[in-house]
Amino acid sequence: MPELPEVETTRRGIAPHVEGREITEVIVRQARLRVPVPVDLVDRLVGARVGELARRAKYLLVPVSGRGEAGTLLWHLGMSGSLRIARLGELPKKHDHLDLVFDDGAILRYHDPRRFGFVDWLAGSAERDPRLSRLGPEPLSDAFDGERLYALSRGRRLAVKPFLMDSAVVVGVGNIYAAEALFLAGIDPRRAAGRISRERYDRLADAVREVLAAAITQGGTTLRDFVAGTGEPGYFKQRLNVYGRDGQSCRRCGAELRLVTLGQRASVFCGSCQS
Ligand code: ZN
């Protein structure tokens, strides 16, 4: 499933090929995505120009202007979506649902076997859309730190792992990165959020930044895959310490990693390194 680092890598991978380009054609092969492709999307986009791509949480924002009303494409990759750059004449494969064709012959092609992703049109200011306006800060921004985690968690009995995965607290910390960051910070994922010290939250905020930045850096090595036309671009396997490793031994102390369910999500941790 595409997480924040994959979406960021996607943004970096496709931006040089689409920014400043004029859209000459829009091909919708399958409109029934999680949110149906807006019926007027083709009219809105043909003849318009793409601005600077942005990312917010796991949303890719593609600003478009120049012809009709200016607005933003809000793109979400869902469970299995991916975007890549194809060239004119390159035939679509199964599950290639939507193409944006540009004036230089490049094609931004959306592929999504499970169709949990979507592309929607936001008129005017994108930040006012409720899907974006309610989000907490970006984990790699200055607005996210141990002080915020500490302040928001006082009095809360919720376990720290689901607390960290709450997008009102901080966006983009999915199951993999929450588990890995808690391991790095030495915090038991079951511990009540309200009973963790400020000092430990400083360590946790640093750990969140560390695991996400490492994933984005590693994703950078796959940037050429956005135009290579082979495989699924942007998805990469990090060396993980705990996620998906229950029953295996801890890389730090050798103890057997344990599995618990927290907030309906599988959570693997080391009972001796994390307390
Ligand atoms: Zn351990």
Side-chain angles (χ1 to χ4, degrees), residues 137-198:
E138 288 288 323
L140 298 171
S141 75
D142 292 341
F144 172 67
D145 56 15
E147 186 179 353
R148 177 179 175 84
L149 291 174
Y150 183 76
L152 289 179
S153 61
R154 290 311 88 186
R156 296 194 64 177
R157 291 159 69 179
L158 177 69
V160 62
K161 182 157 172 280
F163 170 73
L164 189 62
M165 291 174 66
D166 178 353
S167 64
V169 174
V170 57
V171 300
V173 185
N175 204 22
I176 298 174
Y177 300 107
E180 294 296 313
L182 286 161
F183 175 79
L184 284 186
I187 297 173
D188 188 322
R190 300 168 299 177
R191 183 170 284 276
R195 303 203 50 189
I196 293 173
S197 69
R198 169 64 201 275

Side-chain angles (χ1 to χ4, degrees), residues 183 250-255 257 270-274:
F183 175 79
C250 173
R251 298 194 202 280
R252 189 177 289 162
C253 75
L257 298 177
C270 175
S272 65
C273 292
Q274 296 174 257

Side-chain angles (χ1 to χ4, degrees), residues 70-86:
T72 303
L73 292 175
L74 182 71
W75 220 311
H76 196 284
L77 303 179
M79 306 284 285
S80 59
S82 60
L83 282 162
R84 54 178 289 267
I85 303 295

